[in-house]
Amino acid sequence: MRINRVKLVTEMARQDITQLKFVEMSGVSRATISGIQNGRRCSSRSAVKSMDALKVPLETLLEN
């Protein structure tokens, strides 16, 4: 599963969330969050946990 990195970074900035804060909120490892932000794929579990932390629907940040 691939999350659109531009949309993710934009949403994090909109909510004023740093990468470290995002790691703490989501319970996903820093390496995974860094990978997502750099355009790498992640497991569906990591994607769901990440989007739950941001309180946005997963579909809004998925890459087309």
Side-chain angles (χ1 to χ4, degrees), residues 3-51:
I3 295 173
N4 184 305
R5 66 191 193 106
V6 174
K7 290 180 182 179
L8 174 63
V9 171
T10 301
E11 183 62 29
M12 288 174 61
R14 189 184 73 74
Q15 294 187 30
D16 195 29
I17 297 173
T18 64
Q19 187 183 60
L20 184 57
K21 180 71 174 172
F22 190 38
V23 167
E24 292 170 358
M25 290 169 52
S26 66
V28 176
S29 74
R30 190 171 191 165
T32 299
I33 297 299
S34 178
I36 292 170
Q37 287 180 318
N38 288 309
R40 288 188 287 253
R41 293 184 176 273
C42 66
S43 70
S44 57
R45 181 174 170 247
S46 294
V48 169
K49 288 175 77 173
S50 298
M51 296 312 105

